[in-house]
Amino acid sequence: MEQMIREQAYRQVVGVLPPRLRQEAFSLPLQDQCRAEELRLRVGQPMSAVFPEGERPLGGEPVRAGELEQLVEIASRASVHAVLDQLRRGYLTVEGGHRIGLCGTAVLREGEIHSLRQLSSAAIRVARQVRNASDPVLGRLCPGGKLVSTLILAPPGAGKTTLLRDLVRRVSDGDGCQPRRVSLMDERGEVAALYSGCPQLDVGSRTDVMEGCPKARGLMLLMRAMNPQVLAVDEITAPEDVAALRTAAGCGVTLLATAHGNSREDLERRPLYRALMEAGIFQKLLLIRREGTGRSYQIEELG
């Protein structure tokens, strides 16, 4: 079953490629197709694939600028104007929850990015949901069966978003814990991956998703509009995010958030996260570390 899901995800991603690159991507052995995490397109360079062990060129002809334009046409179903809001943020989300990151020359209007032109590269991320990724930690984060406010900390690529998504799903569905109403602030569409209003990745039956706006504004909107019991957000990056979380905590909402870092000491050295720790709004700190192709989890009590 898992093999079939991985094959389907890869086929969906390859389906947005221009014909020549599509043929090249399907030339990968099936076992590599199932392991691929991203496809990378850079003008003047052969297309490459990213695997758990690193990036590898596929050996074809260099990608042409026109092929990146074709990619956007196919991904937007020939309606580029309909996805301009996403393009301004440098990415597109396509059916299946797969995300296309784009680089090129930014067109500015009144200091804001209006669009991208002369595209130079694209990163197509294969969205694969790891169900029950939270098995090693769920029980310890839910004493008495109820989730407590938790901050997930890990360096880039260690699986913060994957773990957050699975925790949101399980809390929302009451899978191994008490069911709760969850509001998810998904600024960049990486957790739920909304497509035509429907999450492409399973975040649970009691989850309401807001994406596409700054986290702090979205968190406050969710608080006012959706009456959440749990408020989840991926990647705290700004002082206003911290302020919004403090406000939510003061209203009695359970928090579930992620941040970049390697250790508790790392957090306490950085002013933004030091303020977050000093606010005392999280009860547990969950540290993720990559160990070869696996991961280890450490949970520390806070406050």
Side-chain angles (χ1 to χ4, degrees), residues 272-291:
L272 173 66
Y273 296 128
R274 185 166 62 245
L276 186 66
M277 299 290 280
E278 290 172 351
I281 57 178
F282 291 101
Q283 293 171 256
K284 293 183 183 288
L285 176 66
L286 170 56
L287 303 168
I288 308 175
R289 294 187 176 89
R290 290 198 83 151
E291 296 182 348

Side-chain angles (χ1 to χ4, degrees), residues 141 147-152 160-172 180-192 202-204 206-223 226-237 241 244-246 248-249 252-259 281-282:
L141 300 182
L147 179 73
V148 298
S149 291
T150 301
L151 177 62
I152 302 169
K160 294 187 302 300
T161 303
T162 297
L163 182 62
L164 176 69
R165 181 187 302 118
D166 197 57
L167 285 169
V168 166
R169 176 188 67 82
R170 297 186 76 164
V171 170
S172 176
R180 311 277 280 167
R181 285 191 312 277
V182 182
S183 285
L184 171 63
M185 182 57 233
D186 191 15
E187 181 177 4
R188 295 177 296 179
E190 293 184 307
V191 184
D202 187 0
V203 289
R206 296 177 182 84
T207 299
D208 304 300
V209 182
M210 173 68 66
E211 75 167 42
C213 71
K215 285 186 280 287
R217 292 186 199 172
L219 288 168
M220 290 297 92
L221 189 153
L222 287 167
M223 282 290 297
M226 303 312 298
N227 187 27
Q229 295 169 308
V230 175
L231 196 58
V233 59
D234 198 19
E235 295 189 7
I236 301 166
T237 56
D241 301 342
L245 289 172
R246 292 183 69 165
V253 177
T254 298
L255 303 176
L256 187 58
T258 71
I281 57 178
F282 291 101

